[in-house]
Amino acid sequence: MSRIYLNAFDMACVGHQSAGLWRHPEDQGHRYTDVRHWVELAKLLDESGFDALFLADVLGVYDVYNRSRDAAVADAAQVPVNDPTLAVSAMAAATQRLGFGLTISLTYEQPYQLARRLSTLDHLTDGRVAWNIVTSYLESAARNLGLDGQIPHDERYEIAEEHVDVCYQLWESSWEDDAVVRDAERGVFTDPAKVHDINHKGKYFTVRGPHLCEPSPQRTPVLFQAGASPRGMKFAASHAEAVFVSGPSPSVVRKTVDRLRSAVAEQGRDPRSVKIFTMLTPITAETSEQAQTKLREYEELVSVPGAFALFGGWTGVDLAELDVDKPLTYADVDANRSALASFTTADRAWTPRELAGFVGLGGRGPVITGSPTEVADELERWVDEADVDGFNLAYVTTPGTFADFARWVIPELRRRGRVPEHTEPTTLRERLGFPSPRLAPPHPGAAYRRS
Amino acid sequence: MSRIYLNAFDMACVGHQSAGLWRHPEDQGHRYTDVRHWVELAKLLDESGFDALFLADVLGVYDVYNRSRDAAVADAAQVPVNDPTLAVSAMAAATQRLGFGLTISLTYEQPYQLARRLSTLDHLTDGRVAWNIVTSYLESAARNLGLDGQIPHDERYEIAEEHVDVCYQLWESSWEDDAVVRDAERGVFTDPAKVHDINHKGKYFTVRGPHLCEPSPQRTPVLFQAGASPRGMKFAASHAEAVFVSGPSPSVVRKTVDRLRSAVAEQGRDPRSVKIFTMLTPITAETSEQAQTKLREYEELVSVPGAFALFGGWTGVDLAELDVDKPLTYADVDANRSALASFTTADRAWTPRELAGFVGLGGRGPVITGSPTEVADELERWVDEADVDGFNLAYVTTPGTFADFARWVIPELRRRGRVPEHTEPTTLRERLGFPSPRLAPPHPGAAYRRS
């Protein structure tokens, strides 16, 4: 019986992936500006057995639907959105075990500064931080950062390859393990002979070094990635230690998982060592009936324009031009067929309104509604059929969805041996099943380690 | 009797401005990687009556002395150094009143991202954040960030002018005060008509907007600045709400203060509205004799190479080439006369060894040693003679210097009416004596406010 890993999926914003649900009287999403909100959430997740809090991010607004950002703004659909890294130390100070997965785009940052921020967080969290490597997908972000439009997709990944390579050098090879000696007698805090320049001169970056930070518990943070395109999957196969996937059914997700594990193996890495999380929204209560009642209550609050705004941002497809009740054809969305397919089972046609219902509550994954045993059964089915290692649990209301899951489902998963009874404080890398706090060969980052 | 403002001056590193003092058995500087260290420090400062914790930063190492970074590395003189912004939320969650002044260089960052980070911190601290605007002074930093060398000094300030102008637009004019309505009835979280693009197209930056963040308590964080050059002073006169100066005697500092207040007046701003802090290291104990004993104990631990490393980084002058016991002449340091003058009274010649003693304990300011009444007398003399509003208190050991000052001197300052008995939780801007949490005219940032 394998362990099931659980991430709470959230974002430093009012409404992450449940369009319109901020109107629910119990939703606390609007408290995202309050440090106490994050401390309370972290404690809830830590005490109940979640493995990590995973925070998404964007650097622009969703303005594809109706060629306007109005729907996203009115519905607080991922706007306003604060920086995801800055509440982490408050949450770390209040917890001992919870990991923190942080989405940071490398497209608009220098590796020297980004590497320092992550090293600092790895120190402050005692080694509980992960970097979700993204290259940004919004045109609107590019126009906020001095560009006329996005850098072409595959070139973004070329930049990403060099960027992470610079980070590996800073994290793994600039400071030797025993560089810091703190020898008051000799008057040597750090042995200068054990701190090295990296002298990187590449196509996109020039960085002399040394790294500004002494070695942190994990050195390289745990590396998360979510690329679904062929180029994105190649990147994930080389670099990622955990990968996020999504799809509406185990069979759809299974195809992605099989391709991904093969790609990992082609890179000479153990395909089981990469933890794969699929997205899912759980709605649960003591009984099946109570859970179904909740679902209906939630469904009434979904905002169709808000859902279309999210869908437009993710896929580039503007549903405003289509009849909401007429089934979509691939011709409607020809420009972005694969993006649409990832939302649907692709075995039947969806109307825009049906899509809104899907996106509005679950984002890019399915909604699983039921009693604790029903939800646990369904999670186990997903693990078996889709061959995933765990779940990114999206919320309908926050912290309501997480609190319900913690109260009802995690105890059931414990009874089934899927979640451990007790977890020792360790680094996040160890918590995710890796044998050491550090990157290990054949991961490309480990190649920079000095023996 | 005017209020005296007190900042604790620190940095996310082992040794900030007391070279070699990490060897003192009570020093806890090496705990800078531990979030608990920062939470304990913040509580101490908050409960004892400090106004703010001010954190310095650099993006490179000190490698002018002996044309090598070895002295800085061995002595942990500002290397290793973590990102100063990331422990703030943990400190904010543990305090209600303390402000946080954060040094962030704008030379290597896009304003769109930097503005979001500061807005996020202003939210998470309930309006207690200040930005110490710097343009970076280390060649070594430039070579870590893709440049062959530093951008020329005055051009750095041209970039800075445009950078802060973009930030003001994002902070002050992108979101109207009443944009966020959270009207569940109408289904409107934010009124889209009240969120605006900024459409900035300048020489250095292109930013469409809107700002990603909803209005934070202060909108624009309190603006700190420390430029001592003519161009730096012009920048401070336009933008700064608090300015950091330094010098070894009240008469030397007074000249800077007079020039600065005149420059502020020339910009049409009230010269008294800008709070001026001078740097100073207090060594205190219950009695004068005990304080003098501490001083001698500290002096024995000063690292001369560490002090020379700091001095070289700040001034560009390599003291390794000179006889440590031969008085310096201006010819020795011709390249950077004004930098040297700011360290000394300029009315006598110093030897490099004497300079090391000065820099090694006090950084760029004097050491004041004595009983609580002696130190309080000396602070009052500085306020009167130098016309400053307060002090950046540097440490010899951390948190020892701050704890001693909190225990012995602050109660004495309270008795004299220089520190209030009780402080209500407010924004940092209000705590520093400004009438509102927001920037007010004629500050240039206030010009972007919508009525």
Side-chain angles (χ1 to χ4, degrees), chain B residues 27 37 45 94 154 176 213 237 254 272 306 318 424 429 442:
Chain B
D27 185 64
H37 170 73
L45 299 174
D154 282 11
E176 295 186 36
C213 305
R254 178 61 180 255
R272 310 301 318 177
D318 180 4
E424 287 296 316
R429 184 167 280 118

Side-chain angles (χ1 to χ4, degrees), chain B residues 9 34 52-53 70 84 86 92 111 115 120 162 169 179 192 201 238 240 259 266 273 293 301 332 379 393 404 407:
Chain B
F9 192 29
D34 185 344
L53 170 64
D70 287 2
L86 292 165
T120 302
E162 188 181 329
Q169 293 176 63
K201 288 195 177 105
S238 293
R259 277 193 296 143
E266 275 165 33
S273 73
T293 302
L301 288 170
D332 293 327
L379 296 183
L393 297 172
D404 287 345
R407 179 172 180 193

Side-chain angles (χ1 to χ4, degrees), chain B residues 118-232:
Chain B
L118 283 162
S119 292
T120 302
L121 286 169
D122 202 48
H123 280 300
L124 295 173
T125 62
D126 298 316
R128 292 185 281 150
V129 77
W131 175 22
N132 178 35
I133 306 169
V134 301
T135 64
S136 296
Y137 54 85
L138 294 175
E139 284 285 325
S140 63
R143 286 196 286 267
N144 289 323
L145 292 144
L147 305 178
D148 289 331
Q150 287 202 79
I151 298 164
H153 178 275
D154 282 11
E155 187 178 2
R156 293 208 305 276
Y157 275 100
E158 291 310 309
I159 296 170
E161 292 281 356
E162 188 181 329
H163 197 297
V164 298
D165 185 64
V166 174
C167 288
Y168 293 152
Q169 293 176 63
L170 292 166
W171 286 326
E172 299 290 338
S173 79
S174 182
W175 289 61
E176 295 186 36
D177 290 346
D178 55 353
V180 172
V181 291
R182 207 177 147 226
D183 184 339
E185 204 70 30
R186 286 197 300 133
V188 177
F189 190 91
T190 304
D191 181 349
K194 296 188 172 177
V195 177
H196 308 280
D197 285 343
I198 66 166
N199 285 319
H200 177 87
K201 288 195 177 105
K203 183 171 173 191
Y204 299 104
F205 303 107
T206 302
V207 182
R208 190 179 64 170
H211 190 33
L212 290 170
C213 305
E214 67 176 285
S216 66
Q218 301 184 119
R219 298 278 199 125
T220 298
V222 175
L223 300 171
F224 287 2
Q225 222 265 330
S229 67
R231 186 66 188 85

